[in-house]
Amino acid sequence: MRFIYPLLANRSMLILLLIVNIAGTAYGFYWYGSQLKETPAKFLIFVPDSPTASLFFVFVLIAFLLKKNWPLIEALAIVTLFKYGIWAVVMNILVYFVKGELDWISYMLIFSHFAMAVQGLLYAPFYRFKWWHLIVTAIWTLHNDVIDYVFFMLPSYHMLDRYIPQIGYFTFWLSILSIGLAYYFSIRSNRFKLEIK
């Protein structure tokens, strides 16, 4: 597996991923457009989950291209990329079981969100965040769950409305898993570490 890391650290790969993530982030905010129009201003920052996650990673990539680390952004990126990447994959699969079919946009969302989750973890050896960065990220992430499932600001999948309590429970534990993975890959003392050169 370690053979992939020189490729990931390559400047051309970082630029390519930056372009892809900027495009994906822009599309993500567009996808949320109609929901954002109906969202109270105080909740706006908490609604577009996936594009905000990929926006964090855009800043991680910019830092890498500058040969820097922005630790709080790295912590936010790994946790939210994994959480919302896997969340969207599971929700779209659930849509398939409810409706019996998926359109091409749903398949694109499954692929792109799975890629989000993977890229966040793949770059973990290059992150340099500490406990306090992860604690701030955990507060952000769990607070976002409260906004989504107490104030019902979660992404609109109307065909899944009857499952909101179960989805909320799943999402809480997915948040815990995402925070745990961030610790495992980026903080524990004997973790695998690399430098962007």
Side-chain angles (χ1 to χ4, degrees):
M1 181 65 183
R2 294 189 180 193
F3 73 90
I4 198 171
Y5 288 107
L7 175 63
L8 293 177
N10 180 273
R11 189 170 182 83
S12 296
M13 176 60 76
L14 292 171
I15 292 170
L16 175 62
L17 280 174
L18 179 61
I19 292 167
V20 168
N21 277 275
I22 288 172
T25 300
Y27 175 77
F29 282 113
Y30 168 78
W31 189 87
Y32 275 95
S34 59
Q35 184 173 352
L36 289 172
K37 287 177 187 173
E38 300 171 2
T39 300
K42 64 184 177 181
F43 294 132
L44 281 173
I45 195 172
F46 300 106
V47 170
D49 298 324
S50 295
T52 301
S54 59
L55 182 61
F56 289 142
F57 196 62
V58 163
F59 286 112
V60 168
L61 292 169
I62 290 169
F64 287 170
L65 286 165
L66 296 172
K67 302 194 183 318
K68 297 184 181 216
N69 287 92
W70 294 336
L72 181 57
I73 302 298
E74 291 170 357
L76 286 163
I78 188 173
V79 170
T80 60
L81 283 172
F82 184 82
K83 174 188 174 181
Y84 295 116
I86 297 303
W87 188 92
V89 169
V90 171
M91 290 309 108
N92 280 281
I93 291 171
L94 186 54
V95 167
Y96 172 78
F97 283 109
V98 170
K99 291 178 61 178
E101 61 180 3
L102 290 176
D103 58 21
W104 71 270
I105 293 177
S106 297
Y107 285 109
M108 180 271 292
L109 290 172
I110 289 172
F111 173 78
S112 62
H113 283 78
F114 183 74
M116 273 176 53
V118 170
Q119 74 178 355
L121 295 181
L122 279 177
Y123 276 90
F126 302 104
Y127 302 153
R128 293 296 180 267
F129 60 85
K130 303 188 185 315
W131 265 110
W132 80 264
H133 303 110
L134 187 57
I135 290 168
V136 170
T137 297
I139 293 167
W140 166 274
T141 304
L142 295 170
H143 180 257
N144 204 349
D145 288 346
V146 172
I147 299 299
D148 282 353
Y149 297 98
V150 174
F151 297 97
F152 300 105
M153 294 291 123
L154 67 158
S156 296
Y157 284 89
H158 298 301
M159 70 289 295
L160 301 181
D161 283 352
R162 74 185 98 160
Y163 302 110
I164 285 179
Q166 294 89 342
I167 292 170
Y169 184 76
F170 162 75
T171 304
F172 168 77
W173 286 109
L174 181 59
S175 294
I176 298 300
L177 174 63
S178 302
I179 294 161
L181 287 173
Y183 164 79
Y184 180 82
F185 285 113
S186 301
I187 291 182
R188 67 189 171 95
S189 58
N190 59 340
R191 76 182 184 95
F192 177 46
K193 282 174 77 171
L194 289 171
E195 298 279 344
I196 296 283
K197 298 183 178 177

